[in-house]
Amino acid sequence: MDKQELLIAIPTKNHPKYIMYYLSKILDDALRLNIDILILDASDDDATEKTVEGRTRGGYRNLYYKRYPRTATLEERLIDVYVGTGYKYVWLCGDGVVVNLRKDISIVENEIQKGRQIIVFGQYKINDKEYVEYTSSIDFCLDCFSQNTYFGSVILEADLVTKELFVYCQKKYLEHAVPALYYELFRDGNIRAVYIYQSLFFDANPYKKNSIAMKEGRTIYAFAHLFYETIQKLPDCYNIIKKELYRWQKAMYDWGHLWAMRANGNLNLRIYWRERKYLRLSSDKKGIVYLLIVLCPHKLAKAIALIEDRIW
């Protein structure tokens, strides 16, 4: 890799063990490949900062750290990644999954040489194809919307992003500013993109157990309600596919996941009643199904989830 060709950006908060593990897995390969890593930290304490400092003192000159107030949102941190940093491409990663550089870097280099504006890794095939090139942003949005919501899946040509556009997305899409940014960038319908199927393009971080939304009991709000609003706000050029996008997370609403959400506090009568409109739009389940699950005693729901092997 050329200098400042690719930056791996990792936002984190209160996860020093995640970062310790992540760096142990990726730093040596990144240094050898001339890839920089930036940790964007909004933690309550300095444990993560000390972890990074220990590595930089150890000679990892490709590792950078930036501290933010603990109230800083993800979007407030990421504007510093995409705007004016001088890197050509940014690989936005979460601290819960570790990108597999040894496996993926030759693929990434090849796609960069082809002049891609956006490179997407995914864990499912698109119409039985493992490699799909796009020149239409409509087709790209329809096929890749789900995968583009995951940390670690997207490598974006960063110099496409202006401060004005990023701030616009922040105001319009709130906490979904970054995934929506991908579609605002290519609202004229043209794109140079590729989707690459990789069953193991990342390794799970063993310290991560659940998502933040899951821990906070807001999974349905985050994935049904908020993403419905985001899809609604996408530029008019995407209107022809918006109805299909509403059910972008159909697997979340299978029987096993619903019982798991009932067991772990992410689905109850209050949540169902509040989000029933969005559940109807996002899933193919009838209202009676949700009522059956939310009215089931918690202990019984937990036992069913265990039988279904869906305990999260």
Side-chain angles (χ1 to χ4, degrees), residues 107-120:
I107 299 171
V108 173
E109 288 178 318
N110 185 49
E111 297 304 330
I112 287 176
Q113 289 173 5
K114 292 179 180 178
R116 303 296 187 193
Q117 295 168 312
I118 187 166
I119 302 163
V120 179

Side-chain angles (χ1 to χ4, degrees), residues 31-242:
L31 182 63
R32 174 177 55 84
L33 294 164
N34 205 25
I35 296 171
D36 289 343
I37 299 171
L38 173 63
I39 307 296
L40 304 109
D41 183 22
S43 295
D44 297 329
D45 57 35
D46 61 357
T48 299
E49 184 174 8
K50 288 181 177 178
T51 295
V52 175
E53 286 178 348
R55 291 291 189 161
T56 54
R57 285 197 302 269
Y60 290 98
R61 60 187 182 277
N62 63 325
L63 178 61
Y64 300 90
Y65 174 89
K66 189 163 185 178
R67 184 70 176 266
Y68 295 81
R70 63 182 182 179
T71 56
T73 65
L74 175 65
E75 292 71 32
E76 289 169 340
R77 287 177 275 166
L78 292 184
I79 191 170
D80 292 336
V81 172
Y82 287 113
V83 178
T85 60
Y87 289 92
K88 185 168 184 180
Y89 288 90
V90 170
W91 195 342
L92 177 59
C93 298
D95 57 15
V97 297
V98 183
V99 296
N100 193 328
L101 280 180
R102 292 186 182 184
K103 182 175 183 179
D104 296 332
I105 195 58
S106 61
I107 299 171
V108 173
E109 288 178 318
N110 185 49
E111 297 304 330
I112 287 176
Q113 289 173 5
K114 292 179 180 178
R116 303 296 187 193
Q117 295 168 312
I118 187 166
I119 302 163
V120 179
F121 286 105
Q123 291 183 286
Y124 56 81
K125 298 178 183 178
I126 295 177
N127 298 322
D128 293 324
K129 296 180 180 179
E130 298 185 1
Y131 184 90
V132 184
E133 297 176 280
Y134 295 93
T135 56
S136 164
S137 60
I138 309 301
D139 294 340
F140 173 75
C141 180
L142 182 61
D143 287 348
C144 301
F145 185 88
S146 177
Q147 197 62 52
N148 290 345
T149 63
Y150 294 101
F151 284 111
S153 292
V154 177
I155 301 173
L156 180 68
E157 187 178 358
D159 54 11
L160 295 171
V161 184
T162 63
K163 181 178 181 180
E164 292 74 20
L165 178 60
F166 198 96
V167 171
Y168 170 79
C169 289
Q170 280 182 287
K171 293 178 179 178
K172 183 177 180 180
Y173 298 102
L174 305 176
E175 63 186 86
H176 291 161
V178 173
L181 172 69
Y182 306 145
Y183 310 111
E184 289 283 352
L185 275 171
F186 308 109
R187 62 190 303 163
D188 67 353
N190 300 309
I191 197 171
R192 296 193 307 275
V194 65
Y195 176 89
I196 303 162
Y197 166 75
Q198 280 274 41
S199 59
L200 292 173
F201 72 89
F202 65 80
D203 300 313
N205 192 319
Y207 288 101
K208 180 168 183 174
K209 303 302 180 184
N210 290 315
S211 69
I212 293 175
M214 182 69 69
K215 291 177 182 177
E216 295 177 348
R218 59 196 296 270
T219 299
I220 289 176
Y221 174 73
F223 289 94
H225 186 145
L226 287 185
F227 267 109
Y228 173 83
E229 300 293 345
T230 295
I231 292 166
Q232 282 283 84
K233 294 175 184 177
L234 289 176
D236 290 345
C237 64
Y238 300 102
N239 285 350
I240 59 175
I241 61 171
K242 286 180 179 179

